[in-house]
Amino acid sequence: MSFFIPEPYCWDESFKTFYEQIDNEHKGLFQGVFNVARTPKSQICLDGLNHVMQYHFANEQALMETANYHLRKEHTAIHNAFLDRIGKYTVPVGIADIQYCKDWLVNHIKVNDFKYRGML
Ligand code: FEO
C-alpha cells in the first residue's frame, strides 16, 4: 500500500500513534529527511538523519520489548534493513535515495508502527 507523501515533507496528524514520545521522535525523522532533501551535499545532514533514525528505532524497540509486543522481532528487522540501506548513502545523496527515504518513512509509520497502537 502506498500513502500520500507530504510536500513539504513534514509530520502531520495523520501520522499520530498517540504516544507522545514516539510522535515527537517521528517529527524529528521527517525533519531529518527534509534536511537531507534540502541539502543533499551535506554530510552533517546525512549523519543527522542516521542519528535520529538510530535513536528513534532504539527507543521504539525498547518500548516494544517492554510491552512484549508480538511483532517486535519483525519490526526490528525492518528497522535494521532500513538502517543498513541509509548507512551506505554517501553525499551528495541522490534524488532516488531521498525519495526512497520519504516513501519508506511514510509507509513504515502507517503500516508497521500503526500496528502497535494501543499495545505499548
Ligand atoms: Fe517509528 Fe518503527 O519506527
Side-chain angles (χ1 to χ4, degrees), residues 8-21:
Y9 196 70
C10 61
W11 186 94
D12 64 51
E13 297 216 331
S14 73
F15 295 98
K16 255 186 168 177
T17 62
F18 302 98
Y19 299 104
E20 190 177 2
Q21 177 192 346

Side-chain angles (χ1 to χ4, degrees), residues 106-118:
V106 163
N107 283 279
H108 180 71
I109 292 173
K110 291 195 170 179
V111 174
N112 300 109
D113 288 357
F114 276 13
K115 288 180 185 167
Y116 62 55
R117 288 197 298 190

Side-chain angles (χ1 to χ4, degrees), residues 49-95:
L49 177 63
N50 276 279
H51 174 76
V52 291
M53 290 289 176
Q54 289 166 9
Y55 178 80
H56 167 64
F57 293 162
N59 287 338
E60 193 175 82
Q61 287 160 206
L63 290 169
M64 290 192 283
E65 198 64 39
T66 301
N68 205 24
Y69 174 58
H70 68 294
L71 294 174
R72 62 191 184 282
K73 287 198 177 111
E74 295 91 325
H75 199 130
T76 297
I78 293 166
H79 287 166
N80 288 339
F82 181 70
L83 288 178
D84 277 353
R85 180 164 179 149
I86 67 167
K88 294 185 177 82
Y89 283 9
T90 54
V91 294
V93 182
I95 290 171

